[in-house]
Amino acid sequence: MPRYLHSAAILNGFMLTFGGSFGSNTVNNTLLKCFVSDFMLYDIECDQWQKVNTTSLHLEYLDRFGHSMIAVNNTAYIFGGFNSVLLKDLIKITLDSCDMFQNETLCTSNVIKCKWSNNTCIRDTSCTSVKDSNSTCTTYTSCQACHIAQCHWCGNQCTSTSKCSQGPSNCTEKDTCSIYSSCNSCAINTACSWQNNVCVPGNGTTGCPQKPCSEHSHCQNCTSNSCMWCSNTAKCVETNAYVVAFHYAQCMDWTTKNMECQGEFSLTYTN
């Protein structure tokens, strides 16, 4: 999954990455979760990625981006970050070592690639010849994002294989249209239509503004074209791109309403 403002450190031959932001329109202007708390391991020797399953740990409260990470021996320390508020907590992550596992089941069922040999758990340095693309597909949690990544939605999960015991599932037309967050992106799909600032099933979209939001230089023309105007930075952005444009909430005064443009309208009081 593409991301930025995450952290990374090298531990025992792996690069451990944590958190970060997907951006609200990273992939084809789709609505994705802004910041996350997932761990990914990159096997440097084998050039392979895998997601660490932390479902049972309930790490949702650790969602963040813009944090820092440092590795000391076999432990990573994560500090601070941002998730709509500035954070000051310290997270300690210890990566298991193979020699700590005392039986074959535990040895071969962890994420750090160990193998059982001569009644001892040791590091497995072999690399599989075919990379498991499913580890990437399983990071997508919505049908729309799954299909955009050219994976397959099976039941309620995303997978790399097109063979699904429950029968392959396609996103409904309504869901497919709802992933587009701007008029121009909605117009890409001829089965969708941009109506009242929302992309819905229809017969195509016409009449979208020619300029992207970033090219509007005044509040009036910005908000008139379904964009968001930040007055203290004098910047026009997509309405769903606040986190992308202002990583640390630099925009302190914004509007999407034309009538709220400061200095560009007048009020008349009648007694």
Side-chain angles (χ1 to χ4, degrees):
M1 172 71 78
R3 68 188 63 198
Y4 64 108
L5 294 177
H6 53 284
S7 61
I10 303 297
L11 292 172
N12 289 346
F14 293 95
M15 180 176 72
L16 173 68
T17 68
F18 172 73
S21 174
F22 295 154
S24 53
N25 62 345
T26 301
V27 183
N28 291 348
N29 284 318
T30 57
L31 297 173
L32 302 175
K33 192 175 181 180
C34 291
F35 36 84
V36 293
S37 59
D38 60 346
F39 288 92
M40 297 286 291
L41 278 179
Y42 174 67
D43 188 325
I44 298 173
E45 182 68 25
C46 297
D47 186 25
Q48 292 178 329
W49 283 96
Q50 65 181 106
K51 184 177 181 180
V52 181
N53 186 356
T54 57
T55 304
S56 61
L57 300 180
H58 303 290
L59 299 181
E60 294 82 4
Y61 68 96
L62 296 180
D63 290 353
R64 68 192 61 207
F65 62 84
H67 49 283
S68 59
M69 180 192 294
I70 187 172
V72 180
N73 297 325
N74 202 39
T75 301
Y77 295 90
I78 300 168
F79 177 73
F82 187 81
N83 66 356
S84 74
V85 295
L86 289 174
L87 303 170
K88 58 179 180 180
D89 54 345
L90 180 67
I91 305 168
K92 178 182 177 181
I93 305 296
T94 301
L95 197 63
D96 295 335
S97 59
C98 294
D99 56 13
M100 68 181 292
F101 300 111
Q102 302 301 312
N103 62 65
E104 184 174 1
T105 301
L106 292 175
C107 177
T108 57
S109 61
N110 62 80
V111 300
I112 57 173
K113 289 185 60 181
C114 302
K115 66 179 180 180
W116 191 252
S117 177
N118 297 323
N119 291 324
T120 304
C121 189
I122 61 175
R123 177 71 185 274
D124 184 359
T125 57
S126 63
C127 300
T128 56
S129 57
V130 180
K131 297 180 183 179
D132 182 14
S133 60
N134 192 55
S135 61
T136 300
C137 290
T138 54
T139 62
Y140 297 97
T141 57
S142 72
C143 180
Q144 301 93 329
C146 179
H147 281 294
I148 289 172
Q150 298 183 338
C151 300
H152 303 276
W153 189 255
C154 177
N156 61 352
Q157 63 181 355
C158 190
T159 176
S160 62
T161 178
S162 59
K163 296 180 180 179
C164 179
S165 59
Q166 304 175 46
S169 174
N170 293 317
C171 305
T172 64
E173 187 179 62
K174 180 179 179 181
D175 288 339
T176 301
C177 293
S178 66
I179 68 174
Y180 301 109
S181 58
S182 69
C183 181
N184 288 318
S185 60
C186 183
I188 296 173
N189 192 329
T190 56
C192 301
S193 177
W194 186 254
Q195 300 176 18
N196 299 320
N197 291 332
V198 178
C199 191
V200 297
N203 298 318
T205 300
T206 58
C208 291
Q210 296 299 313
K211 290 183 178 181
C213 292
S214 59
E215 292 188 12
H216 295 296
S217 57
H218 300 287
C219 180
Q220 288 281 1
N221 57 23
C222 174
T223 53
S224 296
N225 288 283
S226 303
C227 302
M228 180 178 74
W229 177 257
C230 177
S231 60
N232 67 293
T233 63
K235 191 174 184 178
C236 185
V237 299
E238 294 275 355
T239 54
N240 70 329
Y242 182 94
V243 174
V244 177
F246 310 107
H247 306 313
Y248 303 108
Q250 301 98 316
C251 180
M252 295 176 285
D253 185 15
W254 58 268
T255 183
T256 57
K257 298 179 180 179
N258 193 273
M259 63 177 294
E260 293 180 355
C261 293
Q262 298 180 7
E264 297 188 24
F265 66 95
S266 60
L267 296 176
T268 301
Y269 175 75
T270 303
N271 191 351

